[in-house]
């Protein structure tokens, strides 16, 4: 998409243009294509800036979650993605809980690292402290 290529006249006229896969490379269409590329590049740069800002904010935060503890400092149940997302929302970071990637269930006290998928192949690491109630 966005490339200007040369094809045989019959292939373009009978197959590509009727199916909406291609348009004739007139000066008007080429100018529109260049404008669309600039708009997409600006949108992508703004998106990357917001992702980097959210990443910096997340990595500067560490959240504390208090849970009931049984023998040998093992939790009753485990810390869920919803609890982590709620704790992040209390810190001012709104994320979908599906973006949180916990490698294995958190069932012990202490510090745990949670990976957050921010999109565009960007990830952030969050420190989660689990403390006894």
């Amino acid at each position: 998409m966005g490339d200007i290529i040369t094809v045989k006249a019959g292939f373009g006229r009978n197959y590509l243009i009727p199916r909406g896969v291609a348009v004739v490379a007139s000066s008007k269409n080429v100018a529109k294509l260049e404008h669309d590329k600039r708009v997409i590049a600006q949108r992508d740069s703004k998106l990357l800036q917001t992702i980097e800002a959210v990443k910096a904010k997340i990595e500067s935060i560490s959240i504390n979650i208090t849970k009931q503890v049984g023998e040998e400092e093992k939790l009753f149940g485990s810390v869920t993605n919803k609890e982590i997302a709620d704790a992040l929302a209390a810190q001012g970071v709104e994320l979908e809980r599906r973006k949180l990637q916990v490698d294995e269930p958190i069932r012990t006290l202490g510090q745990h690292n949670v990976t957050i998928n921010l999109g565009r192949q960007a990830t952030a690491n969050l420190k989660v402290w689990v403390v006894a109630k």
Side-chain angles (χ1 to χ4, degrees):
M1 184 170 167
D3 293 337
I4 297 175
I5 60 170
T6 303
V7 296
K8 297 218 176 190
F11 181 58
R13 182 179 59 245
N14 296 326
Y15 184 78
L16 297 176
I17 294 174
R19 285 174 174 73
V21 177
V23 293
V24 177
S26 64
S27 60
K28 179 181 173 184
N29 289 338
V30 170
K32 183 180 181 313
L33 175 67
E34 295 299 324
H35 174 70
D36 290 344
K37 283 183 181 180
R38 283 192 305 273
V39 168
I40 290 170
Q42 288 174 350
R43 189 178 321 136
D44 284 347
S45 68
K46 286 181 184 179
L47 181 63
L48 287 175
Q49 288 175 352
T50 58
I51 287 174
E52 289 298 322
V54 168
K55 179 180 178 178
K57 187 172 184 179
I58 288 172
E59 290 184 344
S60 67
I61 294 173
S62 67
I63 60 172
N64 294 329
I65 297 178
T66 57
K67 297 288 277 186
Q68 281 189 332
V69 179
E71 296 178 16
E72 299 176 10
E73 296 186 342
K74 292 205 175 186
L75 300 177
F76 292 122
S78 63
V79 177
T80 63
N81 286 357
K82 184 176 185 318
E83 291 172 324
I84 296 171
D86 291 342
L88 274 173
Q91 295 278 341
V93 179
E94 295 288 332
L95 285 175
E96 294 179 22
R97 68 176 190 239
R98 289 176 281 165
K99 293 187 177 201
L100 300 171
Q101 297 173 349
V102 179
D103 294 333
E104 55 190 46
I106 300 174
R107 293 191 175 123
T108 58
L109 296 178
Q111 178 184 353
H112 300 277
N113 290 323
V114 175
T115 304
I116 300 173
N117 183 12
L118 299 173
R120 295 278 175 154
Q121 300 166 347
T123 59
N125 293 318
L126 175 67
K127 294 178 185 169
V128 177
W129 286 91
V130 182
V131 293
K133 198 176 231 184

